[in-house]
Amino acid sequence: MSTIFYKVIFKGLIGDSSESYSLTFKNIIQEKLIHVPSQFFSSLKLLSQKQTNVINFQNIREVVKIGDSYTNYDFNYYIVVLYTSLSDGKKEGFLVGNLKKLGDILIGIWPFNQEDTSLSSKDFLKQLNLLTEGSKFKDISVIYS
């Protein structure tokens, strides 16, 4: 697999010294795509109504793919999920892209310099369940395009 990154550019405040900010996600698209269940985002939205440390907002300006790719997916929209672990304070996140016939799939992780980027579908779904519980993580942000 060639090295591919997704640079997600967020809208900044008007008049700010930098009117845009970005995060870079490392591509983890594998032959077997990791699907994000449709109820995951609705569960986080419900959690945001109960807990102040979970927020949902729309702020993605654009996503730029950097690097050579042997697959050319055309995503309809992107969603970024960022969170902080309560156990060690580690900040992490992932990038989801939507494909018309396949739905939401995991396409990138942040920070992009993580050693091991092989992630099984089972491990990822376990992490999604922990996120929707809200008891193991804080500062959960769901950012839509």
Side-chain angles (χ1 to χ4, degrees):
M1 174 169 42
S2 62
T3 305
I4 300 169
F5 297 94
Y6 293 94
K7 185 171 189 151
V8 179
I9 302 169
F10 301 99
K11 301 171 194 167
L13 296 173
I14 296 174
D16 193 352
S17 59
S18 174
E19 290 190 8
S20 66
Y21 298 92
S22 67
L23 286 177
T24 304
F25 293 78
K26 186 171 188 175
N27 176 64
I28 62 161
I29 295 179
Q30 305 162 3
E31 276 187 40
K32 186 170 171 56
L33 300 175
I34 299 176
H35 292 271
V36 179
S38 57
Q39 71 272 15
F40 171 69
F41 294 109
S42 57
S43 296
L44 283 180
K45 193 167 214 154
L46 287 172
L47 192 61
S48 73
Q49 294 170 357
K50 298 174 187 173
Q51 297 183 12
T52 59
N53 70 330
V54 181
I55 58 171
N56 293 277
F57 58 99
Q58 191 170 351
N59 195 36
I60 296 175
R61 178 178 288 167
E62 70 177 306
V63 177
V64 179
K65 186 162 77 171
I66 303 167
D68 296 327
S69 174
Y70 60 91
T71 57
N72 191 15
Y73 292 110
D74 188 22
F75 296 105
N76 297 315
Y77 59 83
Y78 299 93
I79 303 171
V80 170
V81 179
L82 303 171
Y83 51 89
T84 304
S85 172
L86 283 173
S87 62
D88 59 7
K90 185 177 178 184
K91 295 177 189 246
E92 294 181 296
F94 55 89
L95 176 63
V96 172
N98 178 273
L99 292 171
K100 191 171 191 172
K101 294 186 180 184
L102 296 174
D104 293 334
I105 62 166
L106 177 67
I107 62 174
I109 58 169
W110 177 84
F112 67 88
N113 59 354
Q114 292 183 36
E115 292 284 325
D116 182 23
T117 57
S118 60
L119 185 64
S120 73
S121 182
K122 184 179 177 180
D123 292 339
F124 182 67
L125 292 175
K126 183 179 175 183
Q127 189 169 2
L128 292 183
N129 285 335
L130 290 174
L131 275 169
T132 55
E133 285 177 12
S135 61
K136 305 260 187 228
F137 299 96
K138 66 175 183 173
D139 303 329
I140 301 171
S141 300
V142 184
I143 310 166
Y144 298 91
S145 52

